[in-house]
Amino acid sequence: MRLFLKITGVVLLLICISAYVFWKYFAEDIVVEALQKEAETAVNDIWQEEIIYHPGTIVIDIARRKAVLSNYSIYVLANGDTMASIVLPSIEVKWKSTLGLIKQEKIHFRSLIVKEPEIKYSTSVNLKKRDQVKPIDVHVDLLAFQGAAIEIDFAESTQNLSAKATVSTHNFSWIAQQPFHLVHDFLRKSKLSIIDIYSDLSDGFHRVMLDKFILDGAKGVVHVSGLVFEPKFDRATFAKKRGVETDHIVFTADSIDVLRTNFADNDSLMIELVAFYGSELLAHRDKNYQMPEDRFVPILVDNLLQWSVPLFVEQVTFKDGNIVYEELADGKEEAGKVMFSDFDGSVYNVTNLPDLIEDEEKLLVLEATTRLYGKGRLTVEVNYDLLSENGRFWAQGHLRAMDLQSANDILTPLSTLEVKTGHSEAVYFTFGGSRLRAHGDLIFRYDDLKLKWEKDSKMIKRFVKNTLTNWVVPTSNPNRKGQHRIGAIDFERDTQRSMFNYWWKSLETGFLSVMGVRDAKEIKKEE
């Protein structure tokens, strides 16, 4: 019996050795060759263009259910030009069942790790339309792309994108018949880190850069640092190329955090908080060019309600921001400037789903505090009724004490009018209306106001203008008799211009009313 067992053991050992030798020197090559052909066939089934496929090496360890693919590359050609390429230095694959992998019916990977791939792609590359797709179910316990370099060229436009990415996702599944759910499932389960992002936008005039983009889908958190949105040209070149009156806008942010994002819903985007830190907005408008006759600018809530993706953002905040608006008047060489520093603000209920707002009134609310020219503290609140058919809104604000000479930064370059002296004690305003017209009140308490017209070539003409201006415009409000002028806000919106222009022009009518250029709403006697 012992002899039989020994003989049996030796035979089994020889069979194992023979099987290993056969696999190592014969069968492995056959399997590798079959896999190479299968991969090449699959690649050619995807693209219509000419494909150059460079197979690398495959090392398979059946006992450990593991394979390592090295130095694979695919090039997609059109008219002799490389339109897309994928270079794969290393792919490490571990699978659950060898039989399932062979049958290709339900594939379960324990891990699929792609190291330092280089991906270049043009949207002009045509994907083949396949009427029938083999129903393959794929599940990956760990899917990772480490140090991926990505470049995308958007055909028939100037848009392109380049970045370096690291991605990992757990328990990721893909069913061939349900590709729509792929992105949502991927985002919900992934950790994604992208650095050095650069993209020329499709309009041919702007670009976006990011130092870092980090996504943790399981926690619903996104972090962005080093955001820059800017034109590709300097102001003069930009204005000349556009050929119409438009804004040269630069927007930067030190960091942006998006918290508690719901990636689980395939049909909508729900976000609890979007926070901007250290943001700066610089807008420059050159009015040496004509406004396009067909331009129409909808108000914010109209844009929001018409957006195709269901959206609900509970709160958007801005911390430590700065805003600068510059305007170059027709024929002028120096631009007027308005500056808001230390800008802190919040926008509540940014949504096209007003029924989700818990309050009885379905309002989009904007609250902000800032310093005008770094001096007077300005507090503003604006409310928009999301259920109103006419864009109903109302706003109120308060500007604290400041010297009026600061206004020369905008007045003198645009009108050659200079404030020689003047002090503002306070400004209060309340106004509201529809998307087309606004009405309200403005209280402007000031004293010792003296104005002067500058840069007039004729001394007599300048003297007359200075005299008339200071005669018409009260030097103080209330005046020496204790009469206090209340300004009337009354403005019809220019639909070619922005919502912010609408607000400012409405306030401007109130200031002109207080200063005697327009009729006052009311003149009160101070007690």
Side-chain angles (χ1 to χ4, degrees), residues 123 282 422 492:
T123 57
L282 172 58
E492 183 176 351

Side-chain angles (χ1 to χ4, degrees), residues 235 284-285 326-329 332-337 409-410 413-414:
R235 294 171 179 173
H284 177 90
R285 172 160 291 200
E326 297 179 346
E327 186 173 298
L328 183 63
K332 302 291 184 179
E333 297 181 356
E334 181 184 359
K337 181 185 298 185
D409 285 351
I410 186 71
L414 298 186

Side-chain angles (χ1 to χ4, degrees), residues 103-107 132-138 174-177:
K103 288 184 175 181
Q104 294 187 9
E105 291 178 355
K106 188 171 184 179
I107 302 174
Q132 295 182 350
V133 179
K134 187 177 179 181
I136 301 175
D137 292 354
V138 178
W174 173 41
I175 301 175
Q177 299 97 316

Side-chain angles (χ1 to χ4, degrees), residues 310-370:
L311 172 71
F312 187 91
V313 182
E314 187 172 331
Q315 182 179 2
V316 180
T317 65
F318 297 86
K319 299 290 185 182
D320 301 321
N322 294 290
I323 301 173
V324 178
Y325 173 75
E326 297 179 346
E327 186 173 298
L328 183 63
D330 187 12
K332 302 291 184 179
E333 297 181 356
E334 181 184 359
K337 181 185 298 185
V338 179
M339 295 182 293
F340 301 93
S341 60
D342 302 326
F343 182 91
D344 292 335
S346 293
V347 185
Y348 301 92
N349 302 328
V350 181
T351 181
N352 50 15
L353 304 169
D355 290 340
L356 296 182
I357 300 174
E358 294 182 359
D359 295 338
E360 184 176 347
E361 288 189 294
K362 312 302 182 182
L363 304 178
L364 181 148
V365 181
L366 184 154
E367 297 175 350
T369 61
T370 183

Side-chain angles (χ1 to χ4, degrees), residues 41-302:
T41 301
V43 167
N44 282 287
D45 281 346
I46 296 175
W47 287 294
Q48 293 181 356
E49 283 79 1
E50 178 186 355
I51 303 298
I52 297 179
Y53 173 69
H54 294 300
T57 60
I58 301 179
V59 178
I60 302 176
D61 188 337
I62 289 291
R64 296 182 179 179
R65 296 190 295 278
K66 173 184 175 181
V68 177
L69 293 76
S70 303
N71 301 320
Y72 275 74
S73 58
I74 302 166
Y75 297 88
V76 182
L77 306 182
N79 300 321
D81 296 326
T82 301
M83 305 302 293
S85 65
I86 303 174
V87 178
L88 303 168
S90 175
I91 304 176
E92 182 181 292
V93 184
K94 296 180 181 179
W95 58 89
K96 191 96 172 180
S97 168
T98 302
L99 183 60
L101 186 64
I102 294 173
K103 288 184 175 181
Q104 294 187 9
E105 291 178 355
K106 188 171 184 179
I107 302 174
H108 188 162
F109 290 108
R110 289 183 292 142
S111 64
L112 178 58
I113 301 174
V114 184
K115 298 179 180 180
E116 299 183 352
E118 297 179 10
I119 302 170
K120 297 181 180 181
Y121 182 70
S122 170
T123 57
S124 63
V125 175
N126 297 311
L127 299 178
K128 285 186 178 179
K129 294 182 178 179
R130 304 176 67 182
D131 297 331
Q132 295 182 350
V133 179
K134 187 177 179 181
I136 301 175
D137 292 354
V138 178
H139 180 88
V140 186
D141 292 341
L142 172 61
L143 173 64
F145 294 82
Q146 299 176 351
I150 303 170
E151 293 183 18
I152 302 176
D153 177 43
F154 294 85
E156 300 180 358
S157 77
T158 58
Q159 187 176 4
N160 58 62
L161 171 69
S162 64
K164 295 179 181 178
T166 297
V167 186
S168 66
T169 185
H170 294 268
N171 298 317
F172 176 71
S173 297
W174 173 41
I175 301 175
Q177 299 97 316
Q178 300 176 341
F180 178 77
H181 301 286
L182 182 65
V183 173
H184 294 277
D185 190 48
F186 180 79
L187 290 176
R188 186 165 51 89
K189 298 177 178 179
S190 295
K191 289 186 177 181
L192 171 65
S193 175
I194 307 177
I195 62 173
D196 300 335
I197 303 170
Y198 177 95
S199 179
D200 289 319
L201 300 187
S202 58
D203 65 358
F205 290 94
H206 296 89
R207 60 191 173 200
V208 174
M209 292 168 281
L210 293 173
D211 289 341
K212 184 178 292 186
F213 176 94
I214 298 174
L215 164 71
D216 188 332
K219 296 180 180 179
V221 173
V222 176
H223 174 78
V224 174
S225 61
L227 167 66
V228 177
F229 169 88
E230 65 180 8
K232 297 164 62 176
F233 312 101
D234 60 52
R235 294 171 179 173
T237 305
F238 179 83
K240 186 176 181 180
K241 284 182 174 289
R242 295 303 297 257
V244 294
E245 182 184 318
T246 189
D247 290 330
H248 182 282
I249 295 176
V250 179
F251 179 76
T252 63
D254 293 340
S255 64
I256 306 170
D257 286 328
V258 182
L259 304 181
R260 289 171 285 281
T261 303
N262 181 8
F263 293 112
D265 193 329
N266 292 326
D267 300 320
S268 61
L269 184 58
M270 305 292 176
I271 301 173
E272 185 171 320
L273 175 66
V274 180
F276 291 80
Y277 300 96
S279 59
E280 294 192 0
L281 173 65
L282 172 58
H284 177 90
R285 172 160 291 200
D286 190 338
K287 303 197 77 169
N288 288 283
Y289 296 86
Q290 295 295 318
M291 175 74 73
E293 294 182 359
D294 60 347
R295 176 178 289 175
F296 174 77
V297 182
I299 61 175
L300 171 64
V301 291
D302 287 345

Side-chain angles (χ1 to χ4, degrees), residues 37 57 124 176 178 194 256 306 352 375 384 451 494 523:
K37 289 183 178 180
T57 60
S124 63
Q178 300 176 341
I194 307 177
I256 306 170
Q306 293 169 9
N352 50 15
K375 298 178 180 179
Y384 268 94
L451 304 174
D494 181 353
I523 299 178

